Amino acid sequence: MSPVATSVAAQATTRRSRFAIWIRRYFWLWIAYQTVKGLATTTFVWLPLLYVFLST
């Protein structure tokens, strides 16, 4: 394999590993965001709507 082909393969591997690190790093932040968003929606939208619906 030529040095150029080796360099291109090394760059592709580095890009893939950087992407994998990014995914691992931000996955749990995304899960936390979805949890907070769900709690806020439940608290400020669905529970008040349920209260109004059941009290009438």
Side-chain angles (χ1 to χ4, degrees), residues 23-39:
I23 290 294
R24 275 187 242 120
R25 182 177 297 158
Y26 290 103
F27 176 75
W28 291 109
L29 287 176
W30 181 77
I31 293 294
Y33 165 75
Q34 293 297 327
T35 302
V36 169
K37 184 177 78 167
L39 287 171

Side-chain angles (χ1 to χ4, degrees), residues 30-50:
W30 181 77
I31 293 294
Y33 165 75
Q34 293 297 327
T35 302
V36 169
K37 184 177 78 167
L39 287 171
T41 303
T42 301
T43 303
F44 298 116
V45 176
W46 295 115
L47 291 179
L49 283 173
L50 184 64

